[in-house]
Amino acid sequence: MNGPSAEPTPAAVFIPFHRTPAGELRVVLIKRTPFGAHGGEIALPGGKYEPEDADMRDTAVRETCEELGLEPDVLTVLEDLPPLETFSTGFKVWPFVGRLHQVPDRWQPQQREVEQVLDLAVEDLVDPAARGTQEMDLGRWGRAVQVPVWRVEGHVIWGLTLRILEPVLPRALDGEYPV
């Protein structure tokens, strides 16, 4: 984690949408392994910028392919979104909306970073019944705070992942993205 006066660490994530053969809109998230600043959390695939990346889009694609075990030709970036900063871990994250052209029969996630791949129905994520709050100890504030969460299929989605997905999911359901 960066100190309070340090520049945020640049990172990028991919919002990978796809449709089932029946037409259901889905998004792929990951559960991170217990290690690192965001260990154990539900997240979008992605990670830190590396010097070999041409730009943040390259970072998002590279990290997504590494984490999900995909080849770059199975995904397309549909929109670049404005970057957001994490509240507690010192990252500035560039999100990219995208489409998966095919989904593997069996995911082959990067075992060091990804505990589980979650292929979730967008309808379940936007369901008002999934919305709630939860008390979390975020360290930065020195006390537990109530944070917005979504509860889907036994998982809790919160933080930057929720902040990125919240405005994007209704747009995806409205057909704004060619998925």
Side-chain angles (χ1 to χ4, degrees), residues 14-28:
F14 194 71
I15 308 166
F17 288 109
H18 71 94
R19 288 199 183 271
T20 65
E24 179 185 44
L25 183 62
R26 299 185 69 85
V27 66
V28 177

Side-chain angles (χ1 to χ4, degrees), residues 11-16 44-50 52-80 93-101 110:
V13 296
F14 194 71
I15 308 166
L44 292 157
K48 293 179 191 174
Y49 171 82
E50 296 292 341
E52 66 268 14
D53 297 335
D55 53 26
M56 298 313 293
R57 180 184 284 218
D58 259 13
T59 301
V61 170
R62 176 186 53 78
E63 284 282 345
T64 298
C65 290
E66 287 175 8
E67 291 182 349
L68 297 179
L70 300 173
E71 293 298 323
D73 63 347
V74 304
L75 54 91
T76 299
V77 175
L78 301 173
E79 182 178 9
D80 305 10
V93 179
W94 279 258
F96 295 86
V97 176
R99 174 179 173 222
L100 294 178
H101 300 281
Q110 183 184 49

